[in-house]
Amino acid sequence: MVKKIALFILVIVSFSAFTANSLQEELLQKFYHAIEATYNVQNYQAVEIEVSEEVNEELAAKVGKKNLFKITSNNEVIGYAYVGEAPSKKHTFDYVVFFTPDLIIKKSKVLIYREEFGRQIGTQRWLKQFVGMSPETNVEYGKNVAAISGATISASSMTRAVNKVLKTIGVLHQKNIL
């Protein structure tokens, strides 16, 4: 009986590790594809920007776990990217916000959405509202970002996430990290 329980636990742990690794791989592939499409490049480098714990304490959106990148092509900075996770009704979704070298939002994209409802937040029609926003912009759901019927939780969550990312980018710029 003990052997069966141990085998069962091993199978569950192995399956969870496989699922987590394949999900990470899927997220990375979508991220790389989004870089290529957003900046219209094939040859680029996405280098992680590391931030000290001291600076991280001041940030609205924490930096770590490989989520903030400087994107270069031909030794020239073409932009920055922040990859994050935000809550939806029952799960979370992964998103990316791309910036120009001047720290203006170039594009935002939902990379992986795990809910049955609320997928409208992944449409470029809705996401293009964030294009052109800067760290000085105060992003507010229902004010300068349109609400979505049937996706209220996800849409307001994405709006809060983008606002936090903008504030974080602003602090990092003030500290000459970006």
Side-chain angles (χ1 to χ4, degrees):
M1 182 67 172
V2 172
K3 286 183 179 181
K4 286 183 181 180
I5 293 172
L7 180 60
F8 177 74
I9 291 172
L10 179 64
V11 168
I12 295 296
V13 169
S14 297
F15 179 74
S16 297
F18 173 75
T19 303
N21 285 339
S22 65
L23 188 61
Q24 279 299 108
E25 185 63 31
E26 179 185 4
L27 181 61
L28 278 174
Q29 291 305 315
K30 288 183 180 229
F31 174 56
Y32 296 146
H33 179 72
I35 291 172
E36 293 167 6
T38 301
Y39 295 101
N40 196 27
V41 293
Q42 293 297 314
N43 298 317
Y44 64 90
Q45 295 76 42
V47 179
E48 181 182 5
I49 298 171
E50 295 185 30
V51 175
S52 71
E53 284 300 316
E54 181 181 314
V55 171
N56 225 343
E57 291 299 317
E58 299 177 43
L59 303 177
K62 300 304 178 205
V63 175
K65 298 185 272 183
K66 298 187 181 263
N67 65 345
L68 181 62
F69 299 87
K70 176 171 62 172
I71 303 166
T72 60
S73 181
N74 298 322
N75 295 318
E76 181 180 328
V77 176
I78 59 172
Y80 297 92
Y82 183 94
V83 179
E85 184 179 79
S88 54
K89 187 172 184 176
K90 296 178 184 174
H91 302 286
T92 60
F93 61 91
D94 298 294
Y95 66 90
V96 62
V97 180
F98 292 109
F99 292 89
T100 66
D102 297 326
L103 306 178
I104 306 298
I105 293 180
K106 182 174 180 70
K107 185 176 184 176
S108 58
K109 183 171 180 61
V110 174
L111 298 172
I112 299 176
Y113 193 78
R114 298 172 182 88
E115 296 281 352
E116 204 168 306
F117 298 101
R119 292 189 181 279
Q120 301 95 314
I121 70 159
T123 65
Q124 281 306 304
R125 182 176 182 191
W126 186 76
L127 289 168
K128 72 180 179 185
Q129 297 176 90
F130 299 112
V131 173
M133 293 183 174
S134 70
E136 293 79 33
T137 307
N138 190 30
V139 187
E140 294 184 62
Y141 184 69
K143 292 192 178 178
N144 59 351
V145 173
I148 299 179
S149 178
T152 305
I153 294 169
S154 297
S156 62
S157 180
M158 181 66 177
T159 302
R160 283 190 308 276
V162 169
N163 195 53
K164 286 180 180 181
V165 170
L166 285 169
K167 300 312 171 213
T168 294
I169 295 297
V171 170
L172 295 174
H173 180 63
Q174 289 171 352
K175 295 192 173 292
N176 295 317
I177 296 172
L178 299 180

